[in-house]
Amino acid sequence: MLFIKPLKRARPLSILAAFLFLVLSGLNSYSQKTSNTPIVNLVFTSDAHYGITRAKFRGDTNVTGHIVNTAMVNQINTLPYLTLPTDGGINAGKQIDAIDYLIETGDIANRMEIPIQSAAESWAQFETDYMHNLKLKGHNGLAAQLLLAPGNHDISNAIGYAKPMKPLTDPTSMVKIYNLMMKPKTPMTNEAYNYANDKINYSRDIKGIHFMFITLWPDSAERIWMQKDLESVPATMPVIIFTHDQPTCEAKHFTNPLPPHNMTTANKFENLTAEYYKEGTSASKDDGSTDIEQRGFVKFLKVHPNIKAYFHGNSNWNEFYTYKGPDNDVSLPVFRVDSPMKGKYSSKDETLVSFQLISLDPVMQTLTVRECLWNTQPLNKDQKVVFGKTASISLKVN
């Protein structure tokens, strides 16, 4: 009689088990590689302007900033389910899957000129939309991080303005941004906040890229902080600046050079920078020259060639361009983002409202920025984000 030993009977099962183990190990290894993908996705928007209304939006008129921003955040929440266009950019043709950060560069609260609501009320609405209703998760499975910088309206609310506001000052949005981003041991209060001392300047290293967040514009005072911050950054590490104003800034955003440096309806200065305006005694026109002020910034850029990109709001439309400086002696890639409320073009045509999706490949040191048109079919409740313009740049430091 022939007996088959149990060991021989088990051999096919052992082989099968080993095979399954190898397959599962491979799948697990693949899963780990894909879950640890180096690509970083960031949403960039600016100028939420809670407190004012859009003339027309989705079939209605005089629509509040709260309603419009809620609609935009709802569309931002759909990004992980979308496929990127085949535009030659980072991860072209692939599903987005995860958003790691959302960046907002100011004018959260509109200036409180009568009858605009207070900064405190505007911040409460922003908090609801961008902190409670935002559903994005990063590649690490955690909620997308919010990175904020203040705008000229947030600052005006804190320090006052030439025209009367109600209340005359309300630093709520500045204080809230300060506490969230600066993380002081003792939280800042409205009563203690001092704009001259309590600037919101900070940096983050994200996958080998240095992100700098600057109060309003890198003027001579801001550059003192920037210089100190960059002293701890390797010369070969790419640097990206996020701030509110465009590289040319605005003449009226500088401080009145004439003692006692008051803001008046005649001179138009808003005293938002620590730097005095050097090219006259009035900023009555938005296109007033800032060449002297810009040359200081250009000199700084030349000393720090690892500054590879600049992102801003304020002037409120989507544009990818190169900043050359007043003397055409520098070349800095710049990305201007639209506003959901005060877009230069989208305020007149709601199908043009957009935000930006930034995709960063830290290994290849490349960056792709895509325009995200989120309201191309205003009356379609099931509309999807449509990708518009795309630009890719190298972040490599020569």
Side-chain angles (χ1 to χ4, degrees):
M1 181 179 292
L2 181 62
F3 291 95
I4 301 176
K5 296 181 180 180
L7 182 59
K8 291 183 179 180
R9 291 181 58 191
R11 183 175 296 174
L13 293 177
S14 299
I15 294 172
L16 177 60
F19 175 76
L20 290 174
F21 175 78
L22 289 172
V23 170
L24 291 174
S25 295
L27 289 173
N28 184 54
S29 176
Y30 176 77
S31 175
Q32 288 178 353
K33 288 179 181 178
T34 56
S35 64
N36 293 327
T37 175
I39 303 304
V40 179
N41 288 322
L42 313 92
V43 168
F44 175 45
T45 184
S46 189
D47 296 78
H49 283 287
Y50 285 87
I52 62 173
T53 60
R54 280 190 67 104
K56 295 180 180 178
F57 183 71
R58 293 185 173 178
D60 205 350
T61 57
N62 296 321
V63 183
T64 67
H66 192 14
I67 291 174
V68 176
N69 277 276
T70 297
M72 186 174 77
V73 170
N74 287 340
Q75 291 293 78
I76 290 173
N77 283 334
T78 69
L79 285 178
Y81 308 101
L82 301 183
T83 299
L84 292 171
T86 54
D87 53 10
I90 293 171
N91 273 3
K94 296 182 180 179
Q95 188 173 331
I96 296 172
D97 291 330
I99 304 293
D100 303 286
Y101 299 88
L102 187 146
I103 299 172
E104 160 71 55
T105 54
D107 282 358
I108 290 170
N110 200 78
R111 190 180 295 115
M112 303 179 299
E113 296 172 78
I114 300 169
I116 305 300
Q117 67 191 24
S118 70
E121 187 176 352
S122 291
W123 178 266
Q125 294 174 346
F126 172 82
E127 195 172 82
T128 296
D129 291 338
Y130 287 82
M131 298 174 69
H132 300 320
N133 292 341
L134 192 69
K135 307 301 181 185
L136 301 176
K137 289 188 177 182
H139 287 94
N140 58 6
L142 301 177
Q145 294 185 43
L146 198 61
L147 298 171
L148 308 176
N152 57 297
H153 284 237
D154 302 307
I155 300 168
S156 290
N157 289 334
I159 68 174
Y161 188 61
K163 296 179 182 179
M165 300 190 297
K166 186 177 181 180
L168 292 177
T169 60
D170 181 353
T172 297
S173 57
M174 292 297 290
V175 169
K176 295 292 188 179
I177 296 172
Y178 186 92
N179 285 333
L180 283 170
M181 300 298 106
M182 306 300 290
K183 303 185 186 306
K185 292 182 179 179
T186 302
M188 180 64 67
T189 64
N190 282 19
E191 294 72 26
Y193 185 77
N194 183 326
Y195 177 63
N197 301 322
D198 303 320
K199 295 298 175 69
I200 303 170
N201 298 330
Y202 64 98
S203 59
R204 298 283 189 274
D205 288 340
I206 301 175
K207 300 286 187 177
I209 310 297
H210 193 70
F211 286 67
M212 302 183 80
F213 297 84
I214 307 302
T215 297
L216 193 72
W217 185 75
D219 72 340
S220 55
E222 300 301 293
R223 292 195 298 271
I224 294 173
W225 178 88
M226 294 171 72
Q227 176 62 39
K228 185 176 181 180
D229 181 68
L230 289 176
E231 286 174 359
S232 62
V233 175
T236 56
M237 178 181 282
V239 176
I240 301 175
I241 294 174
F242 282 86
T243 190
H244 184 71
D245 268 18
Q246 56 269 41
T248 55
C249 197
E250 289 190 59
K252 65 184 180 182
H253 287 178
F254 288 90
T255 293
N256 176 12
L258 296 179
H261 312 294
N262 290 335
M263 294 178 279
T264 71
T265 54
N267 65 40
K268 301 294 184 182
F269 286 110
E270 298 178 14
N271 291 8
L272 305 176
T273 70
E275 187 172 328
Y276 296 126
Y277 187 60
K278 299 179 180 67
E279 300 172 58
T281 58
S282 174
S284 58
K285 294 183 179 180
D286 285 349
D287 59 356
S289 173
T290 59
D291 285 0
I292 296 174
E293 290 77 12
Q294 288 181 61
R295 287 188 182 108
F297 178 46
V298 168
K299 183 178 179 180
F300 186 84
L301 291 174
K302 290 179 178 179
V303 174
H304 299 284
N306 55 334
I307 297 176
K308 304 302 291 183
Y310 185 110
F311 288 79
H312 71 88
N314 186 54
S315 42
N316 305 329
W317 75 92
N318 186 84
E319 185 182 17
F320 310 148
Y321 65 104
T322 301
Y323 173 65
K324 295 290 187 179
D327 303 308
N328 199 35
D329 56 348
V330 70
S331 183
L332 179 66
V334 179
F335 301 88
R336 183 196 322 264
V337 75
D338 192 24
S339 163
M341 296 301 296
K342 293 181 69 174
K344 182 175 181 179
Y345 305 106
S346 62
S347 62
K348 303 176 184 65
D349 182 353
E350 66 178 297
T351 67
L352 298 179
V353 286
S354 66
F355 55 86
Q356 292 175 0
L357 175 64
I358 305 167
S359 295
L360 172 66
D361 187 334
V363 174
M364 300 303 295
Q365 293 194 335
T366 56
L367 179 146
T368 297
V369 181
R370 294 176 172 98
E371 177 186 28
C372 298
L373 298 154
W374 59 271
N375 195 49
T376 57
Q377 301 178 59
L379 301 183
N380 180 1
K381 63 182 180 62
D382 297 319
Q383 67 177 303
K384 294 182 179 180
V385 171
V386 175
F387 294 100
K389 298 176 182 176
T390 299
S392 294
I393 63 170
S394 172
L395 299 176
K396 291 182 179 179
V397 181
N398 296 326

